[in-house]
Structure formats: structure tokens, C-alpha cells
Amino acid sequence: MTSSSDRSPAVDVRSSKTYEIRTYGCQMNVHDSERLSGLLEEAGYVRAPAGSDGDADVVVFNTCAVRENADNKLYGNLGHLAPMKAKRPGMQIAVGGCLAQKDRDTIVKRAPWVDVVFGTHNIGKLPVLLERARVQEEAQVEIAESLEAFPSTLPTRRESAYAAWVSISVGCNNTCTFCIVPALRGKEKDRRPGDILAEVEALVAEGVSEITLLGQNVNAYGSDIGDREAFSKLLRACGKIDGLERVRFTSPHPRDFTDDVIAAMAETPNVMPQLHMPLQSGSDTVLKAMRRSYRQERYLGIIEKVRAAIPHAAITTDIIVGFPGETEEDFEQTLHVVREARFAQAFTFQYSKRPGTPAATMENQIPKQVVQARYERLVALQEEISWEENKKQVGRKLELMVAEGEGRKDGTTHRLSGRAPDNRLVHFTKPEQEVRPGDVVTVEITYAAPHHLLAEGPVLDVRPTRAGDAWEKRNAAEAAKPAGVMLGLPKIGVPEPLPVVTGGCAVD
């Protein structure tokens, strides 16, 4: 039976209490962390200053279980905080995310100074669990076995004023042998299209001009509601929202990539000419061992259709090197696909065991030195192709959405940075006219490097936007906060649309 305190996340805490969230893994975790921030701020906490490194009243670890050594990293970080907590009465530590869903009670046994453990299905309970742990003076471990609420229905503190994640589904129905995410996130659950579009419209009303539709296998959307064309319909519906300039999505699965989605991408002006589609391996034999339900011919066929419909599309991918049983011939097939597909960028990973997955116990695990050598060959090939593909952009005039924090050398080079429609990163000369993150500029590309482009000439046009207004308003509100309550400025910028840590399943 649920008590009244369980139904409401509001907790009476001192306004000076601070929190810090450390996020690991995929975009789904990034999205969840924005919700955790929103929940804590609604409960009266404020974000600790940047670089506080654990010097906060509440430290939350939003964990990932994809990599083999994820638990070692977690317990190392928890161990670092133990003496800090001992010296700071009232400090609390919470662990959530995929590793918490998997390890549950193990966490408080190995790190008894942890106050709260919560899973992927009940992130909305964090404030209540923190208060319960404080009152009862004992650790609270609460792991739900099924989703309690879509993350997007919870309060949020978005990291960007002009770009936003929008979750359209959670969970995954695939059984890839290298991936543990379906066991931790559960079966796919789709949101109602009307709820998704209502959220997008609300975000646009706040000044957001770019959204990224997010799902474990985003183009499988509709399987839970019985409509195989639901995703293409959703893309087209986003095209009708006034003020929404850019629509992206991540990540699709080749199995579910259908012609109606390609048509929707090509025919909907605000759907960007960008596609991130995980390959994992170019070998049919390895793909079968991975339980990836497509083969090389099918994958390359999708690429060919996308390029025919959207000639300037930038296509990126994920690739795993050294999957158990991978032969030199198998690896050569991966190199073949890379040469044929000519990816703008590839996120390449050396296979590592994921405890609890079938692949972890497979025979013919590849020696580390062999995996390393293949990995280096793949990276060298992809670097060459990325540079060649970027050189084709020289001379083109592109509209960039101005970003902040994406050009580490911008201060010394007197440049700004932005993203092209195809998501390529472009550094451009700072114009005399004021330009804000979220505004749009037109530039001509003059130089290409493997991972970025340069526009060294004058900016051709500056278009102030409602998104830029939203960024300015947000920064003014942060600056106006009362002295003594240090929030730390948020990281402003377009959400990374590509996996930070991937292991093969769409976003994880």
C-alpha cells in the first residue's frame, strides 16, 4: 500500500541543501538525470557549483551497466566519497540507473555508507527515499520491476535552453547477446503519440527549437501500440509544429528501418539529414552470433536508400571489434562495410564482457592484442574516410545552430561553434553582431578536419531566434539568483545526439 508521502515527491528541506548528479552511459541516462535534477529542485535542493567533486549535501550516481568494469568504477568513486561523508554530517549518497537495477542489495553491502539505491523504473521516488533514509537513519533500497512513470512526465531541469530530449519509448524487445539493457530497462513501452506531441509543443513554447526523439530502438516505436508506421507518422507530425526548427532521433535499429521512415525523413523539412544507425559488425556470421536480426546486404541496402532520398545525409554508426569468435575474415567484412557506407563518423569499441549476457560466456574469446590491432586498423580507416567526407563540405554554405561549450579553443581562436543540419561540428569566425546560443548563422566552409569543419571567412547572415531569447532569459534568471545560493551555471548546448558509451544496442 502506498502512503501519502510516497505519492508526492515534495520534501521539506532547507533551501541551502545542494545536490550533485554524476551521469554515466547513454542518452537515456542523460535524459533521466535531467529528470532527477528536476525532482530534487522541486523538493527544494539547488545544484552544487561546478567542480564541487562530491562537496554537496546529496550526491547521486546515475549508473550504466554496459561495460565490464562499470561496477569497479562505481565502488571506486563511492570509496572516494566515504571519508568526505564521514566528515560531513547529513550528507547523503544515492545510486540509481542500470547498475543499481542489476546489483540491488549488493551495493549497500559493499558500500554501507550509501543511503539510497533505486532502479531504472522508479526514478521519481528519489526525494522520498532520501527523506526516508534521513528519518529512519538506514539505507533505503527500492527497485521497481516495471515502469512506474515515463521519465518525460516527471519534473525536469534541462541542460539546454534551446534543445531538448523527448523520450518516446523505454525498454527494448531485442535479445542481442552482448547487451544487458533489456534485462534492466524491461520490454519496450511506447508513449501515446498525443502525449509526445504535447510535450514537444510545450517545449517549443518555452523557446526550444531542436528536439531529439529518444528510445532504446527509436524506430521500433509503435510495436507496443500496434502501428508499424507510428514512427514515420510521428516524424511527419513534428514537421507541422510551428517554431520547431530541427528534429533528430537516436538510435534506430536496422531491423525496424522501413521505407516509410526514409520517406518521412526526406519529405519533412525540419527532420535533419542525419542518421545514426548501429552496424556492430559487417560479418553475417558475427551478426548472427550477436542475434542482430539483419545482415550486411540489408544494412547496406538501407544506406543506399537513405542516400538516394537524402543525398547530403551524414550517416554515423557504432562498431564492436573483437566479438567472441570473430575471425580475420569476419573483421575484413566490417572493413568492407565501412568502405562502402562511408560513414561521416563511427563510434568504435573493443568488445568487453558484460556480466549477465550470453556473449560473456561464449567460447573463442579474442585475445586482447588481436582486438587492439584490429581496433587500430578500423580507427585508421574511419579517420581517413571521415576526413575525405568532410572535405566534400568545403565551399558549401551551411546554416548553423550556435552552441556553447562545444569548441574548447573558441576563446583563444576568437571563434564560436555550431552544428550544421547534418550535425557536423563547425567552428566559425565570431561576427561583430551579437550571437547567442540557439541563434542561427549562415557560413561558408573553408577547411575540413576529420572531426570538425572551419568557416574562416565572415559570417554571411545572423538570424536571432526565439531559442536565443530563451537562452538569454535563462542566463539572466540564473544571474539574478540571491547571493549565497550557489547554483553553478548549467552546461548550455545541444544535447549530444550520439552515444557517449555504446555497447551495441541503440543507445546503450
Side-chain angles (χ1 to χ4, degrees), residues 9 55 85 95 147 150 153 183 189 215 218 222 232 240 293 312 322 338 393 402 413 436 440 463 470 498:
D55 188 21
K85 185 179 180 184
V95 179
L147 188 68
F150 273 99
T153 65
K189 295 291 183 183
V218 70
S232 63
K240 298 177 181 178
S293 50
H312 287 301
V338 170
Q393 306 297 311
V402 181
T413 58
R436 306 161 302 180
V440 174
R463 176 165 62 86
L498 300 173

Side-chain angles (χ1 to χ4, degrees), residues 2-10 125 128:
T2 303
S3 69
S4 59
S5 63
D6 287 337
R7 287 196 298 268
S8 172
K125 288 288 187 66
V128 166

